[in-house]
Amino acid sequence: MIDIKKIMHNREQIEDNLKGRDSSISLSDIVDLEKKRKKLQGEYDEKRRILKGFNMPEGALTEKRELLRLESNTAKKLQQDIKILETELEKRLLRLPNVLSLGVPVSSNKEDYVVECIWGTPPSFDFTPLDHVEISDKLGIIDFNRGS
């Protein structure tokens, strides 16, 4: 997952890089969500500062108590809104692909791919290899019909 701070500081570079994988990628909705989250977080921090600095004597007036209750309810609502925004932001960040390294060719054509290294030699068989489904079906060790 790409760090949101990195996106906020280098939005254009990251967006251009990600367009190499998918031309429809746009970071504007992610940036907007982060700005909203920061704004709400600032409001929440201000409410918490007010609540923590509010000393109420024992014989406090009921309107001060009511004001304190309203501030507390507002802070709780802000905290819930922040949590919702953070969840949505995380969902969108997880859907972004990784940033491409410099020098990686950008193409949708397989012939343009570059093979960097081949380790060992590919095995050659004098028979046609079977996949795990065919092998387990021949051996009778997995019942795919009952499993589905």
Side-chain angles (χ1 to χ4, degrees):
M1 182 167 73
I2 303 172
D3 186 22
I4 188 65
K5 291 177 187 175
K6 190 174 182 182
I7 291 174
M8 296 302 286
H9 292 313
N10 303 316
R11 176 184 173 183
E12 291 82 21
Q13 292 173 341
I14 293 174
E15 196 165 30
D16 290 342
N17 186 299
L18 293 178
K19 287 201 186 266
R21 288 191 176 214
D22 184 0
S23 61
S24 67
I25 290 178
S26 174
L27 298 178
S28 60
D29 57 341
I30 292 174
V31 170
D32 291 343
L33 278 174
E34 176 62 8
K35 286 179 181 177
K36 285 180 192 175
R37 189 200 64 80
K38 279 187 175 183
K39 181 179 178 256
L40 288 178
Q41 186 68 49
E43 292 175 18
Y44 174 74
D45 291 343
E46 181 62 24
K47 297 287 182 194
R48 292 294 300 162
R49 186 188 63 76
I50 290 169
L51 289 171
K52 286 187 178 204
F54 195 173
N55 293 328
M56 189 165 33
E58 281 191 37
L61 300 173
T62 56
E63 62 262 6
K64 284 189 178 180
R65 277 192 199 158
E66 189 60 33
L67 176 67
L68 185 60
R69 190 174 300 124
L70 288 173
E71 291 289 329
S72 177
N73 290 340
T74 306
K76 288 176 186 175
K77 175 74 172 115
L78 284 171
Q79 191 175 25
Q80 291 171 351
D81 292 345
I82 290 169
K83 196 62 145 173
I84 291 168
L85 279 175
E86 285 175 344
T87 304
E88 181 61 27
L89 187 62
E90 186 174 359
K91 282 182 193 175
R92 292 184 187 203
L93 286 172
L94 286 171
R95 281 189 242 140
L96 288 177
N98 290 333
V99 176
L100 294 171
S101 297
L102 297 175
V104 172
V106 178
S107 176
S108 59
N109 188 359
K110 278 193 168 184
E111 283 75 36
D112 293 339
Y113 292 170
V114 177
V115 177
E116 291 287 326
C117 178
I118 296 177
W119 185 263
T121 57
S124 61
F125 302 105
D126 56 351
F127 57 91
T128 305
L130 302 175
D131 67 358
H132 68 284
V133 175
E134 294 169 342
I135 292 173
S136 60
D137 193 32
K138 276 188 174 182
L139 295 175
I141 56 176
I142 300 176
D143 189 358
F144 287 106
N145 295 330
R146 281 185 36 199
S148 59

